[in-house]
Amino acid sequence: MDFEKLDVWKKSSAMSVEMYLHLAALKDFGFKDQITRSALSIPSNIAEGMERDSSKERIKFLGYAKGSCGELRTQLYIGMKIGYIDGPFGSSAVQETRQISSMLAGLINRIKNDALI
């Protein structure tokens, strides 16, 4: 399956773009670099995993994407608490990470079940 057709890849790519745009003016380059790397890592690992030949490798990279999703959610919470990320954007982004994480879990389970056939 082409990763570009996956809704989870589309959703996480769009979120990564939003994160870059929202934080473009942030002067704390360390924080900005870390949070944008987390956001970029999600669709990147989905793409890398889906380009792999084995189900085991696909699952491994989708697991990395899921982990990056949790990392991003943590950074969003911290960013809101320290005033780098405004509440409405942050709350919406947190909800997006929850949806993406759930979608990744579903995709991982689907691949696991397909591998048993």
Side-chain angles (χ1 to χ4, degrees):
M1 174 181 279
D2 295 335
F3 66 84
E4 296 96 337
K5 294 179 182 176
L6 293 171
D7 288 338
V8 68
W9 180 82
K10 292 175 189 176
K11 190 176 202 62
S12 62
S13 293
M15 187 180 60
S16 183
V17 170
E18 288 175 25
M19 202 62 55
Y20 273 91
L21 294 175
H22 189 78
L23 297 173
L26 184 63
K27 300 292 186 220
D28 183 337
F29 297 110
F31 182 86
K32 181 165 62 172
D33 181 61
Q34 186 67 39
I35 195 168
T36 54
R37 281 177 185 261
S38 296
L40 183 60
S41 180
I42 300 166
S44 298
N45 277 301
I46 293 168
E48 186 168 357
M50 296 310 290
E51 288 292 316
R52 297 294 175 139
D53 291 329
S54 73
S55 295
K56 184 177 180 181
E57 285 186 302
R58 285 189 189 105
I59 290 167
K60 178 171 79 170
F61 281 92
L62 293 173
Y64 294 156
K66 197 169 182 319
S68 292
C69 207
E71 182 180 1
L72 175 59
R73 189 162 51 250
T74 296
Q75 293 159 354
L76 287 164
Y77 286 131
I78 292 168
M80 287 188 288
K81 286 182 181 179
I82 62 176
Y84 286 175
I85 298 171
D86 63 77
F89 175 82
S91 296
S92 175
V94 163
Q95 201 51 32
E96 288 280 311
T97 63
R98 290 186 185 283
Q99 291 171 358
I100 291 167
S101 185
S102 177
M103 293 169 80
L104 284 167
L107 182 56
I108 289 167
N109 286 333
R110 192 172 99 203
I111 292 169
K112 283 180 181 176
N113 290 335
D114 288 349
L116 296 175
I117 295 173

